[in-house]
Amino acid sequence: MAMEMRLPVARKPLSESLGRETKKHLVVPGDTITTDTGFMRGHGTYMGEEKLIASVAGSVERVNKLVCVKALKTRYNGEVGDIVVGRITEVQQKRWKVETNSRLDSVLLLSSMNLPGGELLGQGVLVQVSPSLVKRQKTHFHDLPCGASVILGNNGFIWIYPTPEHKEEDAGGFIANLEPVSLTDREVISRLRNCIVSLVTQRMMLYDTSILYCYEASLPHQIKDILKPEIMEEIVMETRQRLLEQEG
Amino acid sequence: MASVSLSEAEKVYIVHGVQEDLRVDGRGCEDYRCVEVETDVVSNTSGSARVKLGHTDILVGVKAEMGTPKLEKPNEGYLEFFVDCSANATPEFEGRGGDDLGTEIANTLYRIFNNKSSVDLQALCISPREHCWVLYVDVLLLECGGNLFDAISIAVKAALFNTRIPRVRVLEDEEGSKDIELSDDPYDCIRLSVENVPCIVTLCKIGCRHVVDATLQEEACSLASVLVSVTSQGVVTCMRKVGKGSLDPESIFEMMETSKRVGKVLHASLHSILHKEESLGPKRQKVGFLG
């Protein structure tokens, strides 16, 4: 059995180790963004006393004449075309209430149940992260080469499950496959889950490449060791470097 | 207790994983999550400790005050426990929602300390039948992430280790009236011996096996759990069963053996980390709540 106790360590500021050329302009509510009145006001800003003031805590984004503040930690705000993973919390007469980490519970009407793209999920692991850490991409369903599949919901709910061996035609209705998942698949899923948790702790964006690089960097370590702070930092640092090399 | 809702498929996945000794986060059935312990975090207490076990965050403060000994035990001081489940931990604790859980935990703490050897109560006596030290142990639940009892017992032990009670002398003058004199030196104090203070090991039964240090999701899959309070020598001081499900007498016996084994390792790690922290001396960098 393993038992580890340690003394707490103060968090190191991340920017020192990043080596980023352009520093992000971070603001808190009440900070002045600019006194130039030529800009259009976007989300997270308001005009007060002839200057533009931030109303949320986050980083300033500037697109031509539009200034907005993107909040770092927020509930999920839906957009058309987003993929979300939700948990059914309530069953009412003609609809289901779904929890999606947004301000209000979402509603799923029974009539929209069999539309393409919507499905009930079977065995797997759900990881809840902040919605701002999920990168917007063309597709959110990824079959990773390591043997598991991942659905990156835009609302911050990430579903990891064993890759189904063959795509079956839905024979009307949903019957969950409750057979035991093999040990190798389980190890892959647990490892992926720990990698995602470490990426989130170090505030890195989540997408298929970052998760895959993190998985490969974690292979020399035991699965349960990934959550130890020093090993987590080492793995995420390696992932960050590989991603920078890939872009550059 | 705070709970999450899981689908049937998720529960089946967790149960099968425990069967094969591979839990969702890669741990085995007898592995604990990483524990962070820090003492002396609250300055206006006699002793304090903060313990973080995964997502569970507990703060314990101990205040020593003078009081009168209880009638049936005139030569001893005593401990009073109070547990506050703050609404910060989970929205279920809003208003009076956390009171039930708080009383349950406080009663468990009273039970595990209700024996002669856990804490040397006679050292807390100042003058028999008249004055004694009363230790008020206050537990604050900051965040609820599964396995509350273990974290709370570790924090209580660490806080008692950190407690410094001022040394007092009883002076008797000619007329026979007694006066209590506090020592001038603020660092002149007595420390408690926490050698025999027990810690709680919670074992949750999932499927046919039992796990140590369950997360909220694993607790949702378990129908019955056993709380065993173990000292550092492996002596069981008290045992309690929670949950709606039933347990086989053989599994209870196995769980007790596991808890003794796990308890000894738990005490050894806690002992070494507390001594390590103390050896760093007053110059150690305190992390506290803003680290």
Side-chain angles (χ1 to χ4, degrees), chain B:
Chain B
M1 193 83 81
S3 56
V4 289
S5 43
L6 292 179
S7 69
E8 280 309 308
E10 280 173 289
K11 287 188 188 169
V12 162
Y13 183 80
I14 292 177
V15 173
H16 285 157
V18 167
Q19 226 75 331
E20 304 193 22
D21 202 19
L22 182 67
R23 290 151 81 170
V24 167
D25 50 0
R27 287 184 288 154
C29 291
E30 293 186 10
D31 293 336
Y32 267 86
R33 289 172 281 182
C34 191
V35 184
E36 268 183 25
V37 177
E38 197 185 2
T39 58
D40 206 19
V41 280
V42 183
S43 50
N44 57 344
T45 53
S46 312
S48 59
R50 182 181 178 202
V51 167
K52 271 204 268 200
L53 175 64
H55 279 294
T56 305
D57 202 341
I58 311 281
L59 176 64
V60 172
V62 178
K63 285 205 93 137
E65 296 198 0
M66 282 229 250
T68 3
K70 293 193 178 157
L71 286 172
E72 63 269 16
K73 294 193 175 135
N75 293 329
E76 298 177 352
Y78 54 98
L79 276 80
E80 292 273 351
F81 293 99
F82 176 69
V83 179
D84 182 16
C85 300
S86 81
N88 276 337
T90 160
E92 286 170 25
F93 292 161
E94 200 184 354
R96 306 209 76 104
D99 284 356
D100 285 340
L101 181 60
T103 15
E104 191 191 332
I105 300 176
N107 288 338
T108 313
L109 287 172
Y110 276 118
R111 266 182 74 178
I112 69 175
F113 278 86
N114 189 18
N115 57 63
K116 285 192 285 271
S117 48
S118 295
V119 173
D120 185 8
L121 295 172
Q122 292 190 339
L124 295 176
C125 180
I126 303 170
S127 51
R129 283 187 302 275
E130 285 170 9
H131 302 285
C132 71
W133 285 112
V134 182
L135 294 179
Y136 291 97
V137 181
D138 296 313
V139 179
L140 179 60
L141 243 71
L142 293 169
E143 205 183 337
C144 201
N147 206 19
L148 286 177
F149 286 92
D150 293 27
I152 290 176
S153 64
I154 295 174
V156 167
K157 181 164 182 170
L160 287 173
F161 178 80
N162 181 239
T163 304
R164 277 149 177 72
I165 304 175
R167 210 181 284 275
V168 293
R169 282 186 311 153
V170 181
L171 300 169
E172 215 176 301
D173 58 11
E174 303 89 40
E175 283 129 44
S177 63
K178 291 186 182 160
D179 214 11
I180 296 192
E181 184 191 309
L182 198 63
S183 155
D184 282 333
D185 180 6
Y187 291 108
D188 184 18
C189 41
I190 52 176
R191 304 270 306 267
L192 289 175
S193 158
V194 293
E195 282 301 312
N196 287 325
V197 169
C199 272
I200 300 181
V201 177
T202 309
L203 293 132
C204 291
K205 185 121 165 64
I206 299 182
C208 314
R209 297 186 62 158
H210 48 268
V211 298
V212 153
D213 191 19
T215 58
L216 282 176
Q217 283 83 11
E218 287 166 348
E219 279 176 1
C221 300
S222 125
L223 285 174
S225 316
V226 170
L227 301 173
V228 185
S229 141
V230 188
T231 66
S232 50
Q233 274 85 41
V235 174
V236 174
T237 66
C238 119
M239 198 173 96
R240 202 181 129 209
K241 177 210 170 269
V242 291
K244 297 184 280 227
S246 56
L247 287 173
D248 205 81
E250 271 179 32
S251 21
I252 299 184
F253 185 70
E254 275 174 27
M255 284 156 121
M256 265 180 58
E257 294 299 310
T258 311
S259 67
K260 284 193 223 172
R261 221 179 334 146
V262 167
K264 282 194 200 164
V265 178
L266 178 71
H267 278 283
S269 322
L270 182 59
H271 191 81
S272 69
I273 199 80
L274 286 174
H275 281 270
K276 179 175 162 194
E277 195 188 30
E278 193 169 345
S279 67
L280 290 174
K283 294 198 193 60
R284 75 169 159 99
Q285 202 185 29
K286 292 196 186 181
V287 175
F289 289 89
L290 297 175

Side-chain angles (χ1 to χ4, degrees), chain A residues 32-78:
Chain A
T32 316
I33 303 175
T34 175
T35 42
D36 186 351
T37 48
F39 285 108
M40 288 192 291
R41 301 186 286 283
H43 285 299
T45 68
Y46 65 97
M47 187 65 97
E49 296 165 29
E50 294 197 20
K51 35 185 193 176
L52 208 55
I53 307 179
S55 62
V56 291
S59 55
V60 176
E61 318 242 305
R62 205 163 292 187
V63 178
N64 295 337
K65 283 264 174 195
L66 177 68
V67 172
C68 61
V69 182
K70 187 167 145 231
L72 289 172
K73 184 173 171 185
T74 170
R75 288 260 171 184
Y76 170 61
N77 292 321

